[in-house]
Amino acid sequence: MPDVQGRSDGRQVAIARVGVKRLRYPVRLNEAGHAHPSVAEWTLDVALSADRKGAHMSRLVAWLDDLHLAEVGLSAEVLPQLLDGLLRRLEAQAGGLEARFPFFVRKAAPVSGVQSLLEAQGVWQARRGLDGVTQVSLQVDAPVKSLCPCSKEVSDYGAHNQRSIVSMQVVLRPHSAMGLSELLRVAELAASSEIWPLLKRGDEKWVTERAYDNPKFVEDLIRDVAAALRVDSRVASFTVEVENFESIHAHSAWARVEHGG
Amino acid sequence: MPDVQGRSDGRQVAIARVGVKRLRYPVRLNEAGHAHPSVAEWTLDVALSADRKGAHMSRLVAWLDDLHLAEVGLSAEVLPQLLDGLLRRLEAQAGGLEARFPFFVRKAAPVSGVQSLLEAQGVWQARRGLDGVTQVSLQVDAPVKSLCPCSKEVSDYGAHNQRSIVSMQVVLRPHSAMGLSELLRVAELAASSEIWPLLKRGDEKWVTERAYDNPKFVEDLIRDVAAALRVDSRVASFTVEVENFESIHAHSAWARVEHGG
Amino acid sequence: MPDVQGRSDGRQVAIARVGVKRLRYPVRLNEAGHAHPSVAEWTLDVALSADRKGAHMSRLVAWLDDLHLAEVGLSAEVLPQLLDGLLRRLEAQAGGLEARFPFFVRKAAPVSGVQSLLEAQGVWQARRGLDGVTQVSLQVDAPVKSLCPCSKEVSDYGAHNQRSIVSMQVVLRPHSAMGLSELLRVAELAASSEIWPLLKRGDEKWVTERAYDNPKFVEDLIRDVAAALRVDSRVASFTVEVENFESIHAHSAWARVEHGG
Amino acid sequence: MPDVQGRSDGRQVAIARVGVKRLRYPVRLNEAGHAHPSVAEWTLDVALSADRKGAHMSRLVAWLDDLHLAEVGLSAEVLPQLLDGLLRRLEAQAGGLEARFPFFVRKAAPVSGVQSLLEAQGVWQARRGLDGVTQVSLQVDAPVKSLCPCSKEVSDYGAHNQRSIVSMQVVLRPHSAMGLSELLRVAELAASSEIWPLLKRGDEKWVTERAYDNPKFVEDLIRDVAAALRVDSRVASFTVEVENFESIHAHSAWARVEHGG
């Protein structure tokens, strides 16, 4: 059969990234010494030089299926090696892989100690440029609680508070490693309070009072996260976004900081 | 050209609803004596008897385009008459139209009086059954604030609170009318506090203290909404759902009540 | 500490369903003799009589965590028994559980036989009413391909085609069982062609020609699904919706059929 | 009342962008000499130096409300002037405004000439950096049709085709102007076929045959768009992404090109 994608192209436009998107596959996620089931959404792409007509996209799917990640498991350590395999399979010099997935951390409530699994969103990414340099990055979208300092100060009692999402994208230096749950912890420590799926009444009292004692604007939250990441020697560069789903408005307060890169 | 849709079908399966979905069109929305721009997402469908092969879907789009709702405007009063036109155009006995759109209510902040537009989601629906009876309904998804009574009672200070969405779907009795902003107001009055896009510091103090003085479980909120709708003589039946986007969890508290129908 | 939720309420409004929503937990999914990782989104709720102030929502989370579904696994057979446990834990007469999750079916391409995992959305639900009757249902949202008969007939060559989603919700008769992949198969057989994540060129030829040989309107697709489910003695009632993400429009063609119930 | 946001901060972290997000407001959209209703989702933000505690977010909402865009109308020409006003109101040196909205283009079907409104997504953005330079950009997400060249070539008849979204983000050179519908046209001309909401049978034949005569990989589509934008003297830099919602798979084919910047 004719190999249409393998032909040459005369438009003189190189394509930085071409591949497949929204490809979901089950995965056993290995994180911080624990493994649990998840489903990862993959973006797999390669660079295409100006003279090549097309990428062989079906090879990207075949490559992923061959990994048997539901049985073998996926961990951050193997990302560079996976990328090597992908690029060889596609006969490509440059390209990347990205997996987005929910991950779960077992937490004990602050007073009762009852346990439950907190969900956060994680992303693992590895990308090699045309310069041959491979970059590994991770991202966590962490759910936390924020309580408004202004509301607390101007009110005789109470203070409005809400769910916030802290999104941290970190590019690691070569030979560095950072766990998803470690990054989640940075956001939790910067928030008015961390949160738990399961809280008994004594825990609810603890979280309520902890947040009231520890008010944070969206600006405070993002600064505390940025200050923590800035001094981490494993971090080459990072971007942080914080979104507060304001409980006194129908819109969000939002901030963004970039560092390095 | 051959009329494939107009042919007969031998499978003996009548189709309750067939038509177009996710069709968005600009609209001037007339609500409570005011008009403002919006964009409505339409579902337009007809009943198809077992012996008819297909519906003429393009006529549904032509019907909508001919209404020129961006200039003429759309209001709840004309829904039955619009439905008449749609069914005639499709030569159908039964069918329905549904428009979902953001709508906006001008509100003044509780202390400063500064004004802004609160967004809520609205739905207008008209549907005629094979029995020839036409039903008109409206739905509002209202953003409000809820504050947890348990958290307030067990804590020495503070109380967790969060954004909530109150979704009210109301089927009206014949010849009855109810404004979207009227239905929004039912949710606002049942909440720990209503919310505003624009609040100055004095307003923020008011909202904070108002919510603290007025704690509501998801159960309280839905019961107060249900109790208000139950005694409204214009209401034939209703469904209410309330979702609290808990600020101490990453999941929601949720409740549902159905009445009549 | 005070038990605020356990108090009585004077508003005389019973709540049909109250509980938690959007609670995601990792799960090992057992389906058709195979197990694979997934993440389920749970809605867990109970009925609340008019005189009871509130539900003990934290018990719903504790109940789910205690199941250890990431290790033990979840299968359709245990749904009624899980529901028993949930209602006992909440001291509730009526209530329900619902799990929504992506599930994966290993498929071999039609010509080359290369294998890959097709993703579909599944729902398992069990619900007991105040009459003490328990109902078990399943839902599959199946991705398939549809090719337009009208476009084929009026055109000298080619025919527009697109991705379609067939959503089938089936309530089972007591003591009946039906697999998710079995229900997925009903949709695949009714479509112009089933689809695969991984296809080689010979497979792509097969799918292209198969769809062209087998054109289906949204009406044909839904009728063929309904006709298949109607004669299945395990099915007490069902609802089917089909949505074609039309490739010649930016909106969808859509149909809905209800049967029994 | 105390001005908590106006205080100083000691953490030495400047915030590149802080403000409000997901703030929706009705708007009369002026585009290419025509005006129509729409609803814009705004992100409004300013830069905050390391020594300033917080931004006065309520002023961002007040600024937007004062514009009365539902009556006055919004057009690309006024973006720099709007940004001036926003920065003055917030007493900020740097910051940006972004409006995302559905826009509609009246199109006549290719054979019958019947008219309807095609929806696309538009973004207008203006941003001033700490260097005092203001950049204006526009983005269009254009729905089109793509037909697979490989499928056409290997099959005896037919070819799979699907809806595609072409996302083009263009930064304009100073004193340059480009209409949203002009950018939409670039994508339509590069596709296998443009699409329309309303098509009669003769039009459907035209679109079907046009796409079959004009097959395009995702690589072809993005190259043709990039080649067109590359030679436009008004364009300082651009990013294009194309996503094909494959009708033979449940995932997407996808490509990305960046140029200049």
Side-chain angles (χ1 to χ4, degrees):
Chain A
M1 282 199 170
D3 177 1
V4 184
Q5 287 92 338
R7 293 175 190 159
S8 64
D9 191 274
R11 270 162 300 197
Q12 297 299 326
V13 180
I15 300 179
R17 301 176 61 181
V18 57
V20 296
K21 211 180 175 71
R22 301 187 208 280
L23 176 61
R24 280 174 291 272
Y25 248 68
V27 66
R28 191 162 60 82
L29 206 62
N30 293 325
E31 154 63 18
H34 297 280
H36 68 69
S38 191
V39 174
E41 180 170 316
W42 295 84
T43 301
L44 305 172
D45 60 87
V46 293
L48 196 69
S49 60
D51 61 338
R52 283 276 303 282
K53 183 151 182 65
H56 286 97
M57 302 216 184
S58 67
R59 293 187 194 171
L60 293 166
V61 183
W63 169 83
L64 180 62
D65 192 76
D66 285 352
L67 296 178
H68 297 291
L69 296 176
E71 295 83 38
V72 173
L74 178 66
S75 59
E77 294 77 44
V78 300
L79 294 176
Q81 172 188 338
L82 290 183
L83 181 61
D84 279 348
L86 184 153
L87 296 178
R88 265 200 313 275
R89 184 84 164 247
L90 271 285
E91 299 163 20
Q93 273 186 282
L97 59 86
E98 180 191 293
R100 302 185 160 261
F101 43 78
F103 73 98
F104 295 86
V105 176
R106 182 151 287 280
K107 297 182 65 171
V111 176
S112 70
V114 292
Q115 295 200 1
S116 58
L117 291 173
L118 181 70
E119 182 203 19
Q121 301 304 308
V123 182
W124 280 335
Q125 208 171 17
R127 177 158 298 284
R128 183 172 308 157
L130 290 167
D131 56 5
V133 177
T134 296
Q135 213 176 49
V136 173
S137 64
L138 73 164
Q139 181 178 331
V140 169
D141 298 347
V144 298
K145 183 182 185 62
S146 62
L147 184 141
C148 178
C150 174
S151 169
K152 176 181 174 179
E153 185 151 337
V154 302
S155 304
D156 293 338
Y157 41 82
H160 76 80
N161 49 79
Q162 53 267 320
R163 207 186 295 166
S164 300
I165 299 290
V166 181
S167 297
M168 299 155 289
Q169 188 177 25
V170 170
V171 179
L172 294 174
R173 291 191 195 282
H175 313 297
S176 295
M178 182 183 286
L180 295 167
S181 44
E182 203 181 341
L183 196 49
L184 171 62
R185 198 69 196 138
V186 171
E188 290 185 324
L189 292 173
S192 292
S193 176
E194 57 183 302
I195 65 176
W196 287 263
L198 179 52
L199 295 171
K200 298 205 166 187
R201 273 195 291 275
D203 304 311
E204 194 170 346
K205 172 181 163 66
W206 188 95
V207 171
T208 301
E209 296 175 355
R210 159 79 184 157
Y212 193 81
D213 287 335
N214 194 27
K216 296 274 187 122
F217 284 123
V218 71
E219 293 94 337
D220 296 315
L221 228 169
I222 204 167
R223 278 175 165 146
D224 287 345
V225 169
L229 294 177
R230 213 170 38 178
V231 298
D232 192 316
S233 62
R234 298 168 298 177
V235 175
S237 64
F238 65 82
T239 304
V240 187
E241 297 194 14
V242 180
E243 182 168 2
N244 288 0
F245 296 86
E246 298 291 291
S247 62
I248 60 168
H249 303 305
H251 62 264
S252 297
W254 174 82
R256 178 183 169 95
V257 165
E258 296 179 38
H259 183 81
Chain B
M1 282 200 168
D3 177 4
V4 184
Q5 287 93 338
R7 293 175 190 160
S8 65
D9 190 275
R11 270 162 300 197
Q12 298 299 325
V13 180
I15 301 179
R17 300 176 61 180
V18 57
V20 295
K21 212 179 174 70
R22 302 188 208 277
L23 176 60
R24 280 174 291 272
Y25 248 68
V27 65
R28 192 162 59 83
L29 205 62
N30 294 325
E31 155 63 20
H34 298 280
H36 68 70
S38 191
V39 173
E41 179 170 316
W42 295 85
T43 301
L44 306 172
D45 59 88
V46 294
L48 195 70
S49 60
D51 61 338
R52 283 275 303 281
K53 183 150 182 64
H56 287 97
M57 301 217 185
S58 67
R59 293 186 194 171
L60 292 166
V61 182
W63 169 83
L64 180 62
D65 192 76
D66 285 352
L67 295 178
H68 297 289
L69 295 176
E71 294 83 37
V72 173
L74 177 66
S75 60
E77 294 77 44
V78 300
L79 294 175
Q81 171 188 338
L82 290 184
L83 181 60
D84 279 349
L86 184 154
L87 295 177
R88 265 200 313 275
R89 183 85 164 246
L90 271 285
E91 298 163 22
Q93 272 186 284
L97 59 87
E98 179 191 292
R100 301 187 161 259
F101 43 78
F103 73 98
F104 296 86
V105 176
R106 182 151 288 279
K107 297 184 64 171
V111 176
S112 70
V114 291
Q115 295 200 1
S116 58
L117 291 173
L118 181 71
E119 182 202 18
Q121 300 304 309
V123 182
W124 280 333
Q125 208 171 17
R127 177 159 299 284
R128 183 173 307 158
L130 290 166
D131 56 5
V133 177
T134 297
Q135 215 177 46
V136 173
S137 65
L138 75 164
Q139 181 179 332
V140 169
D141 298 347
V144 299
K145 182 182 186 62
S146 61
L147 185 141
C148 177
C150 175
S151 168
K152 175 180 175 179
E153 186 152 337
V154 301
S155 304
D156 292 339
Y157 41 83
H160 76 81
N161 50 77
Q162 53 267 318
R163 208 187 293 167
S164 301
I165 299 290
V166 181
S167 296
M168 300 154 289
Q169 187 175 26
V170 170
V171 178
L172 294 174
R173 290 191 196 283
H175 314 296
S176 294
M178 183 183 286
L180 296 167
S181 44
E182 203 181 341
L183 196 51
L184 170 64
R185 198 70 197 138
V186 171
E188 290 186 323
L189 291 173
S192 291
S193 176
E194 58 184 300
I195 64 176
W196 288 262
L198 178 52
L199 295 172
K200 299 205 165 186
R201 273 195 292 274
D203 305 311
E204 195 170 346
K205 173 181 163 65
W206 187 95
V207 171
T208 301
E209 297 176 353
R210 160 80 184 156
Y212 193 82
D213 288 336
N214 194 27
K216 296 274 187 120
F217 284 123
V218 71
E219 293 94 335
D220 296 315
L221 226 169
I222 204 167
R223 277 174 165 147
D224 287 345
V225 170
L229 294 177
R230 212 169 40 178
V231 298
D232 191 316
S233 61
R234 297 167 299 178
V235 174
S237 65
F238 65 82
T239 304
V240 187
E241 297 193 13
V242 179
E243 182 169 1
N244 287 1
F245 296 86
E246 297 289 291
S247 62
I248 60 168
H249 303 306
H251 62 263
S252 297
W254 173 82
R256 178 181 168 97
V257 165
E258 296 180 37
H259 183 81
Chain C
M1 283 199 168
D3 177 3
V4 185
Q5 287 93 338
R7 293 175 191 160
S8 66
D9 192 274
R11 269 162 301 197
Q12 298 300 324
V13 180
I15 301 179
R17 301 177 60 182
V18 57
V20 296
K21 211 179 174 71
R22 300 188 208 281
L23 175 61
R24 280 173 291 272
Y25 248 68
V27 66
R28 191 162 60 83
L29 205 63
N30 293 325
E31 154 62 20
H34 298 280
H36 68 69
S38 190
V39 173
E41 179 171 316
W42 295 85
T43 302
L44 306 171
D45 60 86
V46 293
L48 195 70
S49 61
D51 61 339
R52 283 277 302 283
K53 183 149 182 67
H56 287 97
M57 301 217 185
S58 67
R59 293 186 194 171
L60 293 166
V61 183
W63 168 84
L64 181 62
D65 192 77
D66 285 352
L67 296 177
H68 297 289
L69 296 176
E71 293 83 38
V72 174
L74 177 66
S75 59
E77 294 75 45
V78 300
L79 294 175
Q81 172 189 338
L82 290 184
L83 181 61
D84 280 348
L86 183 153
L87 295 177
R88 267 200 313 275
R89 183 87 166 244
L90 272 285
E91 299 162 21
Q93 273 186 281
L97 60 86
E98 180 191 293
R100 302 186 160 259
F101 44 78
F103 74 98
F104 296 86
V105 176
R106 182 152 287 279
K107 298 182 65 172
V111 176
S112 70
V114 293
Q115 294 200 1
S116 57
L117 291 173
L118 181 71
E119 182 202 19
Q121 301 304 309
V123 183
W124 279 334
Q125 208 173 16
R127 175 158 300 284
R128 184 173 306 157
L130 289 166
D131 57 4
V133 177
T134 296
Q135 214 176 47
V136 173
S137 64
L138 74 163
Q139 182 179 330
V140 169
D141 298 347
V144 298
K145 183 182 186 62
S146 62
L147 184 141
C148 177
C150 174
S151 168
K152 175 180 174 179
E153 186 151 338
V154 302
S155 304
D156 292 338
Y157 41 83
H160 76 80
N161 49 79
Q162 52 266 320
R163 207 186 293 165
S164 300
I165 300 290
V166 180
S167 297
M168 300 155 289
Q169 187 176 26
V170 169
V171 179
L172 294 174
R173 291 191 196 283
H175 314 297
S176 294
M178 182 183 286
L180 295 167
S181 44
E182 202 181 341
L183 196 49
L184 171 63
R185 199 68 197 138
V186 171
E188 290 185 323
L189 291 173
S192 291
S193 177
E194 56 183 302
I195 65 177
W196 288 264
L198 179 53
L199 295 171
K200 299 204 166 188
R201 275 195 290 276
D203 304 311
E204 195 169 347
K205 172 181 163 66
W206 188 95
V207 171
T208 301
E209 296 176 355
R210 160 79 182 156
Y212 193 82
D213 287 335
N214 194 26
K216 296 273 186 121
F217 284 123
V218 71
E219 293 94 336
D220 296 315
L221 227 168
I222 203 166
R223 277 174 165 146
D224 287 345
V225 170
L229 294 176
R230 212 168 41 176
V231 299
D232 191 316
S233 61
R234 298 167 298 177
V235 175
S237 65
F238 65 82
T239 305
V240 187
E241 296 194 15
V242 179
E243 182 169 1
N244 288 0
F245 296 85
E246 298 289 290
S247 61
I248 60 168
H249 304 305
H251 62 264
S252 297
W254 173 83
R256 177 182 169 96
V257 165
E258 297 179 37
H259 183 81
Chain D
M1 281 200 169
D3 177 2
V4 184
Q5 288 93 337
R7 293 176 191 160
S8 65
D9 191 273
R11 269 163 300 198
Q12 298 300 325
V13 180
I15 301 178
R17 300 176 61 181
V18 56
V20 296
K21 211 178 174 71
R22 299 187 209 280
L23 176 61
R24 280 173 291 272
Y25 248 69
V27 65
R28 192 162 59 82
L29 205 63
N30 293 325
E31 155 62 20
H34 297 281
H36 68 69
S38 191
V39 174
E41 181 170 315
W42 295 85
T43 301
L44 306 172
D45 59 89
V46 293
L48 195 70
S49 60
D51 61 339
R52 283 276 303 282
K53 184 152 181 65
H56 286 97
M57 301 217 185
S58 67
R59 292 187 195 170
L60 293 166
V61 183
W63 169 82
L64 181 62
D65 192 76
D66 285 353
L67 296 178
H68 297 289
L69 295 176
E71 293 84 37
V72 173
L74 177 66
S75 59
E77 294 77 45
V78 299
L79 294 175
Q81 171 189 337
L82 290 184
L83 180 60
D84 280 347
L86 184 153
L87 295 177
R88 266 200 313 273
R89 183 85 165 245
L90 271 285
E91 299 163 21
Q93 273 185 282
L97 58 86
E98 179 190 293
R100 301 186 160 260
F101 43 78
F103 74 98
F104 296 85
V105 176
R106 183 152 286 280
K107 297 183 65 172
V111 176
S112 71
V114 290
Q115 295 201 1
S116 57
L117 291 173
L118 180 71
E119 182 202 19
Q121 301 303 309
V123 182
W124 280 334
Q125 207 171 17
R127 177 158 297 284
R128 182 173 308 158
L130 290 167
D131 57 4
V133 177
T134 296
Q135 214 175 48
V136 173
S137 65
L138 74 165
Q139 181 178 332
V140 169
D141 297 347
V144 299
K145 183 183 187 61
S146 62
L147 185 140
C148 178
C150 174
S151 167
K152 175 179 174 179
E153 187 152 335
V154 302
S155 304
D156 292 339
Y157 40 83
H160 76 80
N161 49 78
Q162 52 266 320
R163 208 187 293 167
S164 301
I165 300 289
V166 181
S167 296
M168 300 154 289
Q169 187 175 25
V170 170
V171 178
L172 294 175
R173 291 189 196 283
H175 314 297
S176 294
M178 184 184 286
L180 295 167
S181 45
E182 203 181 342
L183 197 49
L184 171 63
R185 198 69 197 137
V186 171
E188 291 185 324
L189 291 173
S192 291
S193 176
E194 57 183 301
I195 65 176
W196 288 263
L198 178 53
L199 295 170
K200 300 206 166 186
R201 274 195 291 275
D203 304 310
E204 195 170 346
K205 173 181 163 65
W206 188 95
V207 171
T208 302
E209 297 176 353
R210 159 80 184 156
Y212 193 82
D213 288 335
N214 194 26
K216 297 272 187 122
F217 284 124
V218 71
E219 293 93 337
D220 296 315
L221 227 169
I222 203 167
R223 277 174 164 145
D224 286 345
V225 169
L229 294 177
R230 211 169 41 179
V231 298
D232 191 316
S233 61
R234 297 167 299 177
V235 175
S237 65
F238 63 83
T239 305
V240 186
E241 297 194 14
V242 179
E243 182 169 1
N244 287 1
F245 297 85
E246 298 289 291
S247 62
I248 60 168
H249 304 305
H251 61 263
S252 296
W254 174 82
R256 177 182 168 97
V257 166
E258 296 180 39
H259 184 81

